[in-house]
C-alpha cells in the first residue's frame, strides 16, 4: 500500500497569519495529487489552543496560528473537498511539528494489505512540519522509501524550503 501524508494545508499557513505566496501557489497541485493518489491518504492539521503564546512553540514563534475552531485552523476548502471525496482519508490533529500519531498510524499499516510500499509527503511548511514528519516516518519505517514532492511543498521562505529539501536528501529521503 502507498501512503500520502498531506501536511498542514491550513488557511493560516496559506493566506492567513503565516501565509506566503509560495504556499498559495501549491494548492492546485496538492489538490490534484490527493485526487489522483492511489493509496491511503492521511492529512495532518496543526492544532493549538488559546494559550498558544504561553507554549514553548509560541515563545519561539510568537504568531498566533491554527487555533482549534478558527478559520485559520481549517484545512483550505479546496483541499478539504478532495479529502472528503477520497474514500478512507483521515485527518489527524497534531499539537507540534511532528505527529507521533501519524507515525503510529502509518506504522500500524505495515502488517496490513501487503504492508507499506512507500510514503509520500506534500504540504506545509517544508522546513518545519514536512521535514519533521518525513524524519519521523523514516524512523517508524526505516526500510520503507520516503519521498517528498518538491513542487507540492512550500517553506517559510524559498531559501529555507531549499535547505530543508537538502537536509532530507542527506537523511535518505527522496526528493521528487
Amino acid at each position: 500500500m502507498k501512503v500520502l501524508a498531506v501536511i498542514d494545508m491550513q488557511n493560516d499557513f496559506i493566506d492567513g497569519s503565516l501565509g506566503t505566496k509560495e504556499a498559495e501557489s501549491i494548492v492546485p497541485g496538492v489538490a490534484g495529487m490527493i485526487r489522483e493518489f492511489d493509496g491511503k491518504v492521511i492529512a495532518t492539521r496543526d492544532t493549538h489552543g488559546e494559550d498558544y503564546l504561553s507554549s514553548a512553540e509560541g515563545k519561539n514563534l510568537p504568531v498566533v496560528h491554527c487555533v482549534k475552531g478558527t478559520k485559520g485552523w481549517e484545512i483550505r476548502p479546496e483541499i478539504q473537498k478532495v479529502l472528503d471525496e477520497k474514500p478512507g482519508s483521515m485527518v489527524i490533529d497534531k499539537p507540534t511539528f511532528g505527529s507521533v500519531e501519524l507515525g503510529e498510524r502509518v506504522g500500524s499499516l505495515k502488517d496490513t494489505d501487503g504492508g507499506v510500499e512507500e510514503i509520500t509527503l506534500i504540504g506545509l511548511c517544508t522546513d518545519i512540519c514536512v521535514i519533521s514528519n518525513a524524519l519521523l516516518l523514516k524512523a517508524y519505517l526505516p526500510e520503507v522509501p520516503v519521498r517528498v514532492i518538491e513542487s507540492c511543498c512550500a517553506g517559510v521562505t524559498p531559501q529555507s524550503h531549499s535547505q530543508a529539501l537538502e537536509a532530507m536528501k542527506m537523511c535518505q529521503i527522496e526528493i521528487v
Side-chain angles (χ1 to χ4, degrees):
M1 161 189 331
K2 295 180 180 181
V3 175
L4 178 65
V6 181
I7 309 299
D8 299 353
M9 289 298 296
Q10 294 161 266
N11 291 318
D12 271 346
F13 293 127
I14 297 169
D15 60 4
S17 60
L18 292 171
T20 66
K21 67 181 191 294
E22 292 84 11
E24 288 184 59
S25 75
I26 71 165
V27 171
V30 169
M33 183 101 186
I34 296 166
R35 188 177 298 107
E36 300 302 319
F37 191 76
D38 185 21
K40 179 82 172 161
V41 177
I42 304 174
T44 64
R45 185 168 44 202
D46 196 43
T47 302
H48 301 294
E50 297 291 336
D51 63 344
Y52 172 76
L53 291 175
S54 64
S55 70
E57 181 183 328
K59 290 175 184 170
N60 288 293
L61 177 63
V63 178
V64 175
H65 66 280
C66 299
V67 173
K68 188 172 185 169
T70 65
K71 180 177 175 22
W73 171 74
E74 294 172 1
I75 293 174
R76 180 71 164 228
E78 50 266 62
I79 302 298
Q80 187 63 59
K81 181 178 187 296
V82 293
L83 288 170
D84 291 343
E85 294 169 353
K86 196 75 173 172
S89 71
M90 64 171 37
V91 177
I92 296 170
D93 290 343
K94 63 179 189 59
T96 189
F97 304 140
S99 173
V100 173
E101 184 178 351
L102 175 63
E104 290 170 347
R105 287 193 183 257
V106 175
S108 72
L109 297 172
K110 70 181 177 191
D111 299 321
T112 61
D113 298 326
V116 178
E117 299 168 46
E118 69 180 34
I119 303 165
T120 302
L121 289 93
I122 58 177
L124 302 166
C125 295
T126 317
D127 43 345
I128 302 174
C129 293
V130 174
I131 192 172
S132 296
N133 285 289
L135 292 169
L136 187 142
L137 289 165
K138 192 71 173 162
Y140 269 90
L141 294 163
E143 298 302 319
V144 174
V146 176
R147 50 190 239 164
V148 171
I149 308 300
E150 181 176 359
S151 63
C152 287
C153 292
V156 174
T157 68
Q159 180 184 8
S160 62
H161 167 77
S162 295
Q163 290 170 332
L165 294 171
E166 289 302 314
M168 286 187 275
K169 284 180 191 176
M170 294 304 295
C171 294
Q172 300 177 0
I173 294 166
E174 180 185 4
I175 307 303
V176 179

